[in-house]
Amino acid sequence: MKEIILAYQGEMTLKGLNRGKFEARLSKIIRWRLEPLGKFKVYQAQSTVFIEPKEDGLDMDEAFRRVSHVFGIVKMSRAVECPKDFDAICETAEAYLGETLRGIRTFKVEAKRADKTYPMKSPEICRELGAYLLDKHHHLRVDVHNPQLEVMVEIRDHSAYIHGPKVEAAGGLPVGTSGRALNLLSGGIDSPVAAWCMARRGLALHHIHFASPPYTSLRAKMKVRDLARELVEYTGNCTLFVVPYTKPQEYIRDHAPDVLFTVLMRRSMLRIAERVANKLELQALITGESLAQVASQTMAALACTDAAQSLPVLRPCIGMDKTEIIAISRRIGTFETSIEPYEDCCTIFTPPHPKTNPTMEEILAAEQGMPDLLALEAEAAENVEKIYIRMGGEEDDLL
């Protein structure tokens, strides 16, 4: 009896998106995620991805976990296939789930008859299979409201499938179906969550990080690399661009009004990020900013920041409070790394009383007093370090 994985794509995710593109991208991502584990057959029918092991001894637990992180899949189950003969369905259900049934006290049967030509209707399948299992397990009783186990039967075009309850998966859209973007990845809690949120809406992305040695340490950079590595199971392979930002940051510190430092720095970072994104033909920037969380994230400050460059700036955390962002970071596995106590260049040189409502006039006036800033930004953009992040593999560092 060979176990397979059924991965269900949500019908709602297909609206506004070419179905063929959606399904082709989804299958490609799943094959790529499973390739290190061995040979699997991956195909689609009736809004479901069927994942069958083609070799003995493959790690189905790890395969299930990997597929559960693929955006575009809303629910999953481990199942067995059998002929669309009711006696075969009964025998397969007992063989596959009998051990579980012996350890519980209540169950119910759910049936889905996608093949409407099948002679038994769903209520009849539930009733007759339930009676068969009750006859095999006299200690059981049916509980249709709160059973310990749901025995699921799916009658599809070519076969029947028996499995336990479906489990929630990642949801969203397959990575790459909505375009490509560059995520500003700091060492904090918010920016990894922002990356996850936008990847979930189908964006393929790379990351950019600003390092300011000696004010920030090598360990701080490695922390950001670790965050990118933790995200790669959701986002797919990516590149982390590390910008040597010390010179521009010191220049702003030494030549700009103290109260405008943070907004001027954020504008500078976005200009550098735009340069890197344009080289890669990326279509947007992503940040982890949340409205009014800090002085540089007020409406006025964000307006000044966005005006520094021309790419769209996507802020999926903008309407979340910190509690919501932390909950997502725990869920996706980045929280513990994010709270490691290593420096972030966004927090060094921070003035004690930054201006919360800067105007474009005073920002532009301050930048006119820094004639060498654009050249320093161009130099930083040309000297980025590239760290290639690969799922399940080692990273290659290129200078």
Side-chain angles (χ1 to χ4, degrees):
M1 183 169 53
K2 182 173 69 175
E3 189 175 48
I4 68 171
I5 295 172
L6 302 180
Y8 306 88
Q9 59 191 58
E11 289 295 331
M12 291 298 294
T13 64
L14 298 175
K15 293 184 177 180
L17 181 66
N18 178 275
R19 185 184 185 111
K21 179 182 177 182
F22 179 101
E23 293 184 342
R25 181 63 182 168
L26 189 58
S27 291
K28 182 178 180 181
I29 292 171
I30 291 173
R31 290 189 187 97
W32 171 73
R33 297 286 175 92
L34 296 179
E35 186 176 2
L37 301 180
K39 294 182 179 179
F40 288 85
K41 180 181 178 181
V42 179
Y43 62 96
Q44 295 195 30
Q46 299 171 306
S47 298
T48 304
V49 183
F50 296 77
I51 303 159
E52 300 180 4
K54 303 301 291 180
E55 301 172 322
D56 293 334
L58 297 184
D59 188 343
M60 294 298 286
D61 290 337
E62 177 63 13
F64 192 88
R65 188 192 70 80
R66 290 190 177 205
V67 177
S68 73
H69 289 173
V70 173
F71 294 127
I73 299 299
V74 295
K75 290 182 182 294
M76 296 177 60
S77 62
R78 293 167 73 159
V80 288
E81 181 180 7
C82 70
K84 291 191 296 183
D85 171 80
F86 188 69
D87 289 339
I89 290 172
C90 291
E91 292 168 3
T92 301
E94 170 61 21
Y96 185 51
L97 298 172
E99 186 65 31
T100 302
L101 290 169
R102 281 187 281 276
I104 62 173
R105 306 218 32 106
T106 61
F107 81 108
K108 75 172 182 178
V109 177
E110 290 283 348
K112 179 180 179 181
R113 193 173 59 110
D115 176 9
K116 301 304 181 185
T117 66
Y118 189 72
M120 297 175 69
K121 294 186 176 181
S122 296
E124 185 180 1
I125 295 171
C126 295
R127 182 176 64 252
E128 295 300 324
L129 179 56
Y132 175 88
L133 294 174
L134 285 171
D135 186 59
K136 293 288 184 179
H137 304 275
H138 295 164
H139 69 287
L140 285 177
R141 64 180 179 86
V142 174
D143 183 343
V144 297
H145 300 294
N146 189 31
Q148 291 176 277
L149 176 68
E150 291 185 34
V151 177
M152 312 290 291
V153 182
E154 297 188 40
I155 309 296
R156 293 181 173 261
D157 287 346
H158 302 293
S159 300
Y161 298 88
I162 314 298
H163 56 85
K166 301 174 184 178
V167 300
E168 296 292 329
L173 298 169
V175 169
T177 56
S178 298
R180 303 165 70 232
L182 184 63
N183 178 58
L184 277 69
L185 186 63
S186 71
I189 297 171
D190 303 344
S191 58
V193 170
W196 181 86
C197 288
M198 295 316 304
R200 191 170 186 266
R201 297 310 305 155
L203 272 184
L205 52 85
H206 299 288
H207 304 288
I208 188 168
H209 174 68
F210 294 82
S212 293
Y215 308 105
T216 59
S217 66
L218 176 62
R219 187 63 191 89
K221 184 177 77 171
M222 293 301 99
K223 170 186 173 179
V224 173
R225 182 207 60 187
D226 291 344
L227 288 171
R229 185 186 290 163
E230 289 165 355
L231 287 167
V232 78
E233 286 198 0
Y234 298 99
T235 64
N237 291 346
C238 64
T239 303
L240 170 63
F241 296 91
V242 181
V243 178
Y245 193 60
T246 306
K247 290 181 181 179
Q249 194 166 31
E250 288 180 333
Y251 186 76
I252 297 170
R253 177 199 63 187
D254 295 340
H255 293 83
D258 181 66
V259 294
L260 300 178
F261 172 80
T262 304
V263 173
L264 291 168
M265 180 186 66
R266 295 293 292 174
R267 283 170 57 86
S268 171
M269 289 178 170
L270 287 192
R271 283 192 291 266
I272 294 172
E274 181 189 32
R275 284 176 175 267
V276 174
N278 285 339
K279 286 184 178 181
L280 299 170
E281 298 183 348
L282 306 182
Q283 300 158 292
L285 304 179
I286 303 168
T287 78
E289 290 158 316
S290 172
L291 186 63
Q293 183 171 249
V294 295
S296 64
Q297 296 174 18
T298 63
M299 286 287 285
L302 292 174
C304 291
T305 301
D306 281 0
Q309 55 83 49
S310 60
L311 288 176
V313 181
L314 307 179
R315 296 183 171 95
C317 300
I318 196 70
M320 300 183 194
D321 61 31
K322 201 66 176 184
T323 302
E324 293 171 300
I325 296 171
I326 289 173
I328 295 174
S329 72
R330 290 185 185 277
R331 172 184 166 191
I332 66 178
T334 58
F335 179 75
E336 295 300 328
T337 302
S338 291
I339 62 173
E340 291 177 1
Y342 297 104
E343 315 86 355
D344 180 346
C345 80
C346 292
T347 60
I348 63 175
F349 307 149
T350 301
H353 302 291
K355 191 163 189 177
T356 58
N357 290 292
T359 65
M360 278 304 304
E361 290 76 12
E362 60 189 343
I363 290 294
L364 293 176
E367 289 181 344
Q368 287 176 357
M370 297 185 289
D372 297 330
L373 181 57
L374 292 181
L376 291 172
E377 292 170 356
E379 179 186 352
E382 288 299 319
N383 290 283
V384 295
E385 176 188 2
K386 301 173 187 177
I387 304 176
Y388 297 106
I389 309 295
R390 298 289 179 261
M391 182 177 177
E394 294 298 323
E395 296 78 26
D396 297 322
D397 292 11
L398 296 182
L399 296 179

